[in-house]
Amino acid sequence: MAPAAAPAPCRRALPLCALLSLLLRFSSGNTRVMTAVNITWSSINFKTLLQWEPEPTNYVYTVEIDGNLSNRDKTCIHTTKTECDVTNMLENVRDTYTARIYSESPSEEDDYNIPPYGLSSPFKPYDQTEIGMPAIKYFEQKDKTLKIMIADPLTPYRSENGSFQTIRDIFKDDLKYTVYYWKDQSTGKKFVTERSNQFELSVDNGKSYCFYVQATVTTGSGSRNSPKSTEKCTSINREGLDGLDLDTILIIVAIATGVVLLIIILAVVVYKCTKARAAAKKKENIPPNL
């Protein structure tokens, strides 16, 4: 015997109850997650960050890195941020990596085995990391020779002795430096490119020179240049100060100021003494009856 049909008012109430239940589930924030989009790699001297959108509401992200030559591994687990430092996951800089960014609900009632995720574009650190600005470690102009030493930028990775590797340790002969130089107050530039970080340039004796440096790395993906270094000059008026730190310069200024004040004080004392002696001598020359 078939069960009796529900009364009409109850049948009308069932869809309303289901809709109310659905709205309550969404309002709790436990069933709605957004998939990560606009995933980008940002890397300078092998310091690498992953960034994405949107900011999570009532859910979290977990980042998984997968290399062609390495196993998958997770980092930034259950983070509410939209940025993750993945530098330590990419130590094989010649490998190519992809990132999965999982959107995970804190609810235990999720009905999926694998959380939804956004997939990044491939990234190969050796071919794609940007080169940071090089720094001038030392320079000296003597007679007809301008010597320049460049400090190779450091990377986050350490060598076997525990020191940080430089970009030269990794890129080796793929790294070159170009020095652009010119006579001070002149517009005509010359340049020299070397695989070394030390330069000896032939210049005119007695002429001051200015210069800056730029690094270039050439790999399978092409060439990429670093930003230009700060400009340095060897002019006589600036040459000495360029090699001094701020504390030394302040000491020199303080000593110079003290010397100037001492000269002024001595001049005032001498002037007053001279004036006093002149007044005394004038008084001696006045007749007693006056």
Side-chain angles (χ1 to χ4, degrees):
M1 182 175 180
C10 292
R11 289 198 300 270
R12 288 195 298 269
L14 287 176
L16 293 176
C17 292
L19 179 59
L20 179 60
S21 175
L22 183 62
L23 290 174
L24 288 174
R25 292 186 66 193
F26 270 92
S27 65
S28 67
N30 289 334
T31 61
R32 178 77 182 275
V33 297
M34 300 292 290
T35 302
V37 295
N38 296 332
I39 303 171
T40 58
W41 300 88
S42 176
S43 181
I44 300 177
N45 295 337
F46 299 101
K47 170 77 171 179
T48 306
L49 302 177
L50 262 180
Q51 297 166 320
W52 63 90
E53 297 176 342
E55 293 188 4
T57 302
N58 295 326
Y59 65 96
V60 293
Y61 291 112
T62 293
V63 175
E64 182 180 71
I65 301 298
D66 184 14
N68 290 346
L69 305 176
S70 58
N71 296 326
R72 293 184 183 182
D73 200 2
K74 291 183 177 181
T75 186
C76 296
I77 297 172
H78 296 166
T79 180
T80 57
K81 299 179 181 179
T82 56
E83 180 179 279
C84 181
D85 187 339
V86 295
T87 303
N88 293 336
M89 314 287 286
L90 315 180
E91 287 199 55
N92 184 353
V93 297
R94 291 181 180 269
D95 197 358
T96 300
Y97 300 89
T98 53
R100 291 176 176 84
I101 302 176
Y102 294 98
S103 302
E104 300 174 320
S105 169
S107 170
E108 297 180 356
E109 299 177 0
D110 294 329
D111 56 358
Y112 43 71
N113 294 322
I114 300 177
Y117 62 86
L119 186 64
S120 75
S121 59
F123 178 74
K124 185 176 182 179
Y126 193 87
D127 287 348
Q128 293 175 258
T129 192
E130 298 295 327
I131 310 304
M133 179 189 298
I136 308 301
K137 186 175 183 179
Y138 165 83
F139 68 94
E140 177 187 38
Q141 182 180 347
K142 189 173 183 181
D143 299 329
K144 295 183 178 181
T145 301
L146 172 58
K147 294 182 179 180
I148 301 170
M149 181 179 291
I150 303 161
D152 294 319
L154 296 175
T155 75
Y157 301 128
R158 293 184 181 271
S159 57
E160 292 182 358
N161 63 10
S163 62
F164 286 104
Q165 291 181 306
T166 67
I167 62 171
R168 177 170 299 280
D169 294 328
I170 295 176
F171 287 117
K172 296 183 170 53
D173 287 344
D174 288 340
L175 171 66
K176 295 181 291 185
Y177 288 110
T178 301
V179 174
Y180 298 86
Y181 65 104
W182 61 96
K183 291 181 183 178
D184 198 4
Q185 309 302 321
S186 172
T187 57
K189 288 184 181 179
K190 297 180 180 180
F191 68 91
V192 175
T193 300
E194 299 283 354
R195 284 191 166 88
S196 170
N197 67 335
Q198 299 183 43
F199 289 75
E200 289 192 8
L201 308 178
S202 297
V203 295
D204 293 341
N205 192 14
K207 298 292 184 179
S208 300
Y209 280 80
C210 295
F211 65 92
Y212 63 82
V213 177
Q214 193 169 32
T216 301
V217 170
T218 303
T219 62
S221 62
S223 297
R224 54 196 188 276
N225 297 324
S226 74
K228 299 173 182 177
S229 72
T230 55
E231 184 180 304
K232 297 289 186 179
C233 293
T234 64
S235 63
I236 296 174
N237 292 334
R238 291 178 286 183
E239 185 178 34
L241 294 180
D242 276 342
L244 300 178
D245 57 33
L246 180 59
D247 290 340
T248 305
I249 293 174
L250 291 176
I251 292 172
I252 293 173
V253 171
I255 292 173
T257 302
V259 171
V260 171
L261 289 175
L262 181 60
I263 292 173
I264 293 173
I265 292 171
L266 289 175
V268 171
V269 170
V270 170
Y271 171 75
K272 287 186 175 182
C273 291
T274 302
K275 188 175 181 180
R277 285 197 299 269
K281 187 175 182 181
K282 183 177 180 181
K283 188 175 181 180
E284 290 176 358
N285 294 332
I286 298 176
N289 59 341
L290 292 180

